[in-house]
Amino acid sequence: MNKRAEQIRHIEQWRASGLSQSEYSRRHGLKMATFNYWVRHMDAKREYPLSQSCASLLPVHVEEPAQPAVPEAHALVLRTTHGYRLELAASVSPRWLAELLQCLG
């Protein structure tokens, strides 16, 4: 297998694994900086096919509520620079919130 094909294979396996780049690199004996370079370089050039195991975006229809929702006491409100707002109950799981923020980041 040539070098480029090996890099593409690693990137596709990493994307399907759900691991961080750091953890994937450690498990496969790769230098983190080198693996990160491969990902950035190939993302910029789009040199590899996106595997079906990659996350994909789905269309979402958002409607304004008939009446403004009254925020729950101590609710968590996330606001983006683009004006989007997401209100979460104060009882939301910290672990779930951490996963959400990681996905959004």
Side-chain angles (χ1 to χ4, degrees):
M1 180 178 297
N2 69 34
K3 186 176 181 178
R4 182 166 302 218
E6 181 75 10
Q7 292 170 357
I8 291 169
R9 184 182 64 79
H10 273 295
I11 291 170
E12 288 181 337
Q13 286 179 351
W14 162 67
R15 290 195 187 280
S17 74
L19 298 173
S20 67
Q21 286 185 18
S22 177
E23 182 62 20
Y24 182 89
S25 298
R26 186 186 66 74
R27 290 185 184 186
H28 292 272
L30 302 170
K31 290 184 181 177
M32 172 59 197
T34 301
F35 185 64
N36 182 268
Y37 172 81
W38 294 349
V39 172
R40 286 185 292 115
H41 179 74
M42 292 201 189
D43 277 349
K45 290 188 166 194
R46 303 209 190 276
E47 291 186 23
Y48 61 93
L50 293 176
S51 64
Q52 291 186 1
S53 60
C54 290
S56 60
L57 300 177
L58 300 173
V60 175
H61 178 72
V62 179
E63 294 181 3
E64 291 292 324
Q67 297 178 4
V70 177
E72 178 182 330
H74 301 94
L76 176 63
V77 179
L78 303 175
R79 292 187 179 111
T80 69
T81 56
H82 298 291
Y84 295 104
R85 175 183 165 128
L86 176 63
E87 291 185 22
L88 302 169
S91 60
V92 69
S93 158
R95 183 181 191 117
W96 180 86
L97 179 59
E99 290 176 11
L100 172 66
L101 293 174
Q102 184 178 14
C103 288
L104 295 175

